[in-house]
Amino acid sequence: MPDAANAVDFAIIGAGPAGLMAAEILCAAGHKPHIFEAMPTPARKFLMAGKSGLNITHSEALESFLTRYGAAEPQLEKAIRAFSPDDIGAWANDLGVETFTGSSGRIFPTVFKASPLLRSWLKRLEQGGANLHTRHRWRGFADPSNLIFDTPEGEKTISAHTVLFALGGASWPKLGSNGDWQQAFKGAGITLAEFQPSNCGFDSSWSAFCSDRFAGEPIKNVKLSFQEQTVQGDFIVTKSGVEGSAIYALSAAIRDALIKGDDASITIDLTPDRSTERLTTALSQGRGKKSFSTFLKKATGLIGVKAGLLREADPGAHTLEADALATLIKALPIRLIRPRPLAEAISSAGGVVFGALDENLMIKTRPGHFCAGEMINWDAPTGGYLLTACFAQGRQAANGMLNWHEKHHSK
């Protein structure tokens, strides 16, 4: 049993965006939450995501914004409306971090990095009375109110009246979100959905030539389509397949199709600025004595990896009539056969199902225990949607914790 020194009113397990946002709400209400983080420093995935430019949210109209969460929209809508993209911008500015909206609609800190925002945030939490305990890895439940941690000083048991689990999903495990909490949750009878990669790359069946010649090459300004979705942007050819922002935008639908055993062929419009008719006219001029590469470049502008993908899709592309070749250029098929491993994914789907939680994100079978963030079974594309939902759920859970604590602490 823990001694009095290890008894706390509010325990937050996980110092990522959801956990830190919950701590902020608790501090603002006059409490001094204890945050337990397995890694030596907090918010490592948040910092890593910010290395290429921290995208904290998106300027898209809220009604459209909410649709990005797919099947989980009804469960996330209330939280996001309560802490909207506009609220996130104001929150960042209040921390002394100015933001701007990029050409894609994504909202970034003007300094682009995550570290200044995180430093200011942690300082506010410290001043508010939050207690951060690093190298405290949660191992499971000792009994309904006691939590077991591995620490540098050995195993420690903490007694907590109200608990938030913000342990993350199972992507980028080296940064702390390795999903090792699942066994304890399953043992406690909490229903989980299997983790799946999200915002991930996919393997294809490249020829040896394509794999060796074009691995690492970017494909710029194309349209990708899968099922009813179409996105315009860029992606990268990898040794085994494809990855990059345009692929990530379609990844949930592609992954789900593969899980069902359905075909997962995407189509690529290699020349979104040229119509099929325009291409057909240009290609109808005839090659003459030109090589196919020279003819293709002059007629369509396709060179390098784009021309390579054309031949990869149809080795006989050079023999096609003008209309058939134009059609292939506008709807080039690439069959995807499997997602890349979960450890490589930007995020994950799966985790605690919403049916196991009440409207305040409290675990129905464990009163006083809440969940927030990527450890819950919801999915979202990159572009600020992931962070927005983590922030919003952290606040939602914290408000639930405050209500629970007020009603039950004295009993």
Side-chain angles (χ1 to χ4, degrees), residues 334-352:
I334 295 181
R335 182 171 174 266
L336 304 179
I337 57 178
R338 71 181 70 86
R340 293 297 299 162
L342 181 56
E344 297 178 15
I346 291 176
S347 61
S348 58
V352 180

Side-chain angles (χ1 to χ4, degrees), residues 69-76 168-169 181-182 185 190-198 255-256 259 348-357 361 371-380 386 389 393:
Y69 297 96
E73 179 184 350
Q75 290 81 18
L76 290 167
W181 51 267
Q182 294 176 87
F185 268 54
I190 301 166
T191 305
L192 308 179
E194 182 181 357
F195 275 120
Q196 302 288 346
S198 183
R255 177 201 65 219
D256 291 347
I259 290 172
S348 58
V352 180
V353 300
F354 277 105
L357 307 172
L361 302 182
C371 295
E374 281 195 66
M375 67 182 295
I376 300 176
N377 183 26
W378 55 267
D379 202 0
L386 290 163
Q393 283 199 319

Side-chain angles (χ1 to χ4, degrees), residues 17-19 46 64 72 89 124 225-226 251 309 337 342 374 395 401:
F46 180 74
S64 297
R124 173 187 284 181
S225 299
F226 182 73
S251 64
L309 284 186
I337 57 178
L342 181 56
E374 281 195 66
R395 293 173 66 93
M401 294 169 76

Side-chain angles (χ1 to χ4, degrees), residues 1 32 78 104 106 207 213 237 283 323 330 333 365 373 400 411:
M1 291 294 292
K32 301 182 186 303
K78 183 178 178 180
S104 65
R106 301 181 181 198
S207 65
R213 172 68 179 81
V237 172
L283 292 166
D323 57 346
K330 296 296 287 183
T365 57
K411 296 183 180 181

Side-chain angles (χ1 to χ4, degrees), residues 16-26 83 91 121 125 390-392 394-395 398:
L20 295 180
M21 188 60 77
E24 182 169 339
I25 297 300
L26 296 176
F83 196 61
W91 167 78
W121 197 6
L125 291 175
C390 286
F391 289 148
R395 293 173 66 93

Side-chain angles (χ1 to χ4, degrees), residues 129-149:
N131 301 277
L132 177 61
H133 309 272
T134 57
R135 294 187 171 90
H136 278 60
R137 182 174 296 278
W138 181 70
R139 287 303 183 195
F141 304 99
D143 59 44
S145 64
N146 292 330
L147 308 164
I148 303 170
F149 293 87

